[in-house]
Amino acid sequence: MDQTIPEVIRTVPLQYYVFFASALFAIGVTGVLVRRNAIIIFMCVELMLNAVNILLTAFSAYRADPNGQIFVFFIMAVAAAEVAVGLGIIVMIYRNFQTTDVNLLSRLKW
């Protein structure tokens, strides 16, 4: 199996990618749970998506299988659509309430 892994990929162990992606994901989860600004929360969700993309790409490269990279392509396409819709919603909330604080958005209830 090691013969199919390119030499450039083998220079960095797979565990480093796992640790790096885990740290990014943990930072994203912490940001979602702690912060109150909707834009910061949105950026933390994107950080978590990128951590998953890094893992998929690393596992795909180590297995010499392009399926993980194809999944990453589709995840990035969906994330781009999510960014467009999410930022549009955040802009409309800011125009109506003059804030992006998620605690004050309880006014959107009945």
Side-chain angles (χ1 to χ4, degrees), residues 28-110:
V29 168
T30 304
V32 167
L33 295 176
V34 172
R35 303 301 289 218
R36 293 175 22 192
N37 189 338
I39 296 173
I40 302 293
I41 292 172
F42 199 60
M43 287 171 44
C44 290
V45 169
E46 293 297 322
L47 192 64
M48 292 188 304
L49 278 175
N50 285 330
V52 172
N53 285 343
I54 288 170
L55 274 182
L56 281 172
T57 305
F59 287 138
S60 171
Y62 268 82
R63 290 184 48 120
D65 183 20
N67 288 334
Q69 295 173 5
I70 293 170
F71 276 119
V72 167
F73 175 74
F74 285 115
I75 290 171
M76 289 175 73
V78 169
E82 173 205 352
V83 166
V85 172
L87 285 178
I89 292 171
I90 290 172
V91 166
M92 290 308 296
I93 289 172
Y94 182 77
R95 284 184 184 174
N96 289 329
F97 295 107
Q98 304 302 317
T99 185
T100 57
D101 189 358
V102 293
N103 289 336
L104 297 177
L105 295 180
S106 63
R107 292 186 224 163
L108 293 176
K109 294 179 185 177
W110 295 76

Side-chain angles (χ1 to χ4, degrees), residues 3-26:
Q3 287 77 5
T4 60
I5 300 172
E7 184 64 33
V8 175
I9 301 297
R10 278 188 272 158
T11 58
V12 179
L14 185 60
Q15 292 84 6
Y16 290 2
Y17 290 109
V18 173
F19 293 146
F20 177 63
S22 298
L24 279 180
F25 196 84

